[in-house]
Amino acid sequence: MTNIALFGAGGKMGYPLALNLQGTRFEVDHVEINPAGIDRLKTNLGIETVPSSEALSRVEVVILAVPDTHIGQVMGQIHESLPAGTMVVALDAAAPFAGHLPDRPDLTYFVTHPCHPPIFN
């Protein structure tokens, strides 16, 4: 089983991912700091959020479903807690292109944008 930490789970990009990941073979920890997003996940999907420290304690894949202007800030806060071999999925190319991801050769970065379906089809 693959453990995913979905950051921004209750937001514009994270909520559809949270919905699509329900019932899959993945174990998902939903990380959300916005009270409206937390409520949306709980009320609509029955999902309880967890603190980032808990999610990172067992993570194999991090999905950064946060606004592109926050990707660097979030990674700055969590990158030292990521074990070697973790895959980090960024859902926007701007921050990685601008150098906002830490230089960690032991992490795998996958950068995509979910509004480009040909990549996923």
Side-chain angles (χ1 to χ4, degrees):
M1 171 122 11
T2 302
N3 292 304
I4 297 173
L6 177 56
F7 279 75
K12 182 172 78 172
M13 301 302 284
Y15 184 85
L17 287 170
L19 177 63
N20 289 336
L21 287 167
Q22 279 192 320
T24 65
R25 64 182 176 88
F26 302 106
E27 184 69 35
V28 181
D29 285 318
H30 301 83
V31 180
E32 179 60 63
I33 61 170
N34 183 302
I38 294 168
D39 184 58
R40 185 177 179 203
L41 287 166
K42 185 173 185 173
T43 301
N44 297 344
L45 302 179
I47 291 174
E48 297 288 339
T49 59
V50 299
S52 62
S53 59
E54 183 179 329
L56 295 176
S57 71
R58 55 183 166 261
V59 73
E60 296 172 87
V61 176
V62 171
I63 300 175
L64 298 171
V66 299
D68 56 346
T69 56
H70 291 86
I71 289 175
Q73 179 184 9
V74 171
M75 279 302 293
Q77 294 172 357
I78 69 170
H79 81 93
E80 291 180 357
S81 299
L82 298 176
T86 300
M87 175 182 277
V88 178
V89 179
L91 299 180
D92 187 273
F97 183 74
H100 293 182
L101 297 179
D103 184 15
R104 287 262 321 256
D106 61 335
L107 300 178
T108 298
Y109 290 115
F110 183 84
V111 181
T112 188
H113 197 289
C115 292
H116 300 283
I119 291 174
F120 298 103
N121 292 340

